[in-house]
Amino acid sequence: MPRGRHELAELVAFPSVADPELGLEQECRAAAQWVADALRAEGLTEVRLLDTPDGTQSVYGE
């Protein structure tokens, strides 16, 4: 549980609201990269960042 809390605290520390008016594009991308790295660390081999039509990124892994 301590590891899970630490990782959750890291993730929610990103100011990553996907609202273009807030100008947080870099933070959103950093949050997506963090999730991708976390998935890879857990052993997922097919992890990708996918650009979406609104300019944000989705994380895909299997």
Side-chain angles (χ1 to χ4, degrees), residues 45-58:
T45 57
E46 295 296 323
V47 178
R48 295 181 291 176
L49 294 172
L50 306 173
D51 293 327
T52 63
D54 68 359
T56 60
Q57 290 183 316
S58 293

Side-chain angles (χ1 to χ4, degrees), residues 5-34:
R5 285 184 182 174
H6 174 76
E7 290 178 349
L8 180 59
E10 281 184 15
L11 179 58
V12 300
F14 288 100
S16 58
V17 176
D19 181 346
E21 292 184 20
L22 296 178
L24 298 174
E25 293 84 7
Q26 290 299 96
E27 289 83 356
C28 288
R29 289 186 180 278
Q33 185 62 58
W34 187 96

